[in-house]
Amino acid sequence: MTPDAGAIAQTIQLSVTPVFLLVATGSLLNVIAGRLARVVDRSRTLMARWPETEGIEHDRIVAELRIADRRMRIINNSILSAVACGIVVCLLVALLFTQAFTGINLGIAASWAFAAAMLLLLVSLILFLVEVRLAVRAIHVPMELLELEEKESGARARSRHDRSA
């Protein structure tokens, strides 16, 4: 059975939504791959410094390397999930066109493929969120760099001055 131009046009219209999902997944992969590159670069810097350090600084580098290793595993799993999502979306588009050209009802298979793609995207996004939260928690600015004592003592002195005035 050869589909007419109307059936082909309708199939193309049906495949637009999955293609948008594919584009979004590609954009997500671009962001996640960028994060992975930054973690790898930071890890290489830390590994180069590792043999040169001792004491507290060495312990800090080891701790940061452990966090970087965990972040890389999480990012890799997020990438795996996003790529699987993209593959399933491509399968979904193929199912839609197969249905249009053969006349075989593949609606249930297409529905399952769409649901699987959304689930895989959800997993990828959750892992991305976990990695971002881990990265934010890992960044610890030493209190002495924040100069809080000077600011707090200055605020207390101003407060005392305001009360006495």
Side-chain angles (χ1 to χ4, degrees):
M1 171 197 309
T2 305
D4 62 358
I8 293 172
Q10 183 181 14
T11 303
I12 290 172
Q13 288 173 340
L14 284 174
S15 66
V16 168
T17 300
V19 169
F20 279 127
L21 179 59
L22 191 59
V23 170
T25 303
S27 297
L28 177 64
L29 277 167
N30 190 31
V31 171
I32 296 170
R35 291 190 67 81
L36 179 60
R38 290 189 60 146
V39 175
V40 167
D41 290 345
R42 179 66 180 152
S43 297
R44 286 182 179 148
T45 301
L46 291 169
M47 287 187 288
R49 289 179 53 204
W50 182 84
E52 304 164 356
T53 60
E54 294 178 355
I56 294 172
E57 185 181 358
H58 184 78
D59 294 342
R60 187 186 62 74
I61 286 176
V62 169
E64 193 173 340
L65 279 168
R66 287 181 182 148
I67 291 170
D69 184 62
R70 183 167 178 224
R71 287 179 62 198
M72 284 186 276
R73 281 194 314 268
I74 293 169
I75 291 170
N76 278 329
N77 287 330
S78 181
I79 288 171
L80 174 66
S81 182
V83 168
C85 172
I87 291 169
V88 173
V89 169
C90 291
L91 175 65
L92 170 59
V93 172
L95 285 170
L96 292 173
F97 277 95
T98 301
Q99 179 173 310
F101 287 124
T102 64
I104 299 169
N105 185 359
L106 298 172
I108 293 174
S111 298
W112 279 106
F114 186 77
M118 293 305 293
L119 182 63
L120 288 164
L121 181 60
L122 176 67
V123 168
S124 181
L125 288 169
I126 289 170
L127 288 169
F128 177 70
L129 178 63
V130 167
E131 189 276 327
V132 169
R133 304 270 306 166
L134 181 61
V136 169
R137 277 192 314 222
I139 298 172
H140 174 72
V141 179
M143 293 302 284
E144 63 270 8
L145 296 180
L146 296 176
E147 301 175 1
L148 290 177
E149 293 173 8
E150 293 174 18
K151 287 182 181 181
E152 288 174 3
S153 63
R156 277 186 243 132
R158 279 193 302 274
S159 176
R160 276 185 252 138
H161 175 70
D162 292 344
R163 278 185 253 145
S164 65

